[in-house]
Amino acid sequence: MNDLLKNYSIGVEFAEASGAEHLEMMQMRDRLFEVESGLTAEEKQILAVADRQLIARAPEFYRELLRFVDLRARRQSQEIPPQRWWWYLDVIAYLPDSSIGSKALVKLQ
């Protein structure tokens, strides 16, 4: 498995880690976004599972990220588009659970 994907997949398992580690994990997700078309079908499946886990635990990740980064300000300053949905955890954290399904994830990507 791609080392970047492996590290990202492990990172989403630890919502209790520090916001600094979460920020690094989100930067890993940025790099995965750039190479996503080159991933194998199996790697894409692993990525989808990890992404769903991040979305499901968005409130926990966001609480820790608040200590290190203002996601809204970062999106604005770096002009981060919605296709990079992981930078919108502050928004995702407040969505009702029923709207956070695989269809919501597909729409965000």
Side-chain angles (χ1 to χ4, degrees), residues 26 54-63 65-66 69-73 75-76 80-82 84-97 99-100 104 108:
M26 292 168 69
L54 177 59
I55 289 171
R57 298 184 72 189
E60 297 168 71
F61 281 97
Y62 177 54
R63 270 193 302 276
L65 280 162
L66 272 173
V69 65
D70 179 337
L71 292 177
R72 183 173 176 252
R75 286 193 305 269
Q76 288 176 338
I80 298 174
R84 291 171 51 197
W85 58 265
W86 46 95
W87 291 105
Y88 291 78
L89 286 179
D90 55 330
V91 176
I92 295 170
Y94 290 100
L95 291 174
D97 288 344
S99 67
I100 306 176
L108 288 171

Side-chain angles (χ1 to χ4, degrees), residues 1-10 28 31-32 35-36 38-40 42-44 46:
M1 176 185 351
N2 177 313
D3 284 341
L4 188 59
L5 178 57
K6 180 180 177 182
N7 290 333
Y8 172 69
S9 295
I10 291 170
M28 279 186 244
R31 292 191 303 275
L32 284 164
V35 301
E36 197 167 341
L39 296 177
T40 67
E42 181 183 354
E43 289 173 329
K44 286 179 182 180
I46 292 167

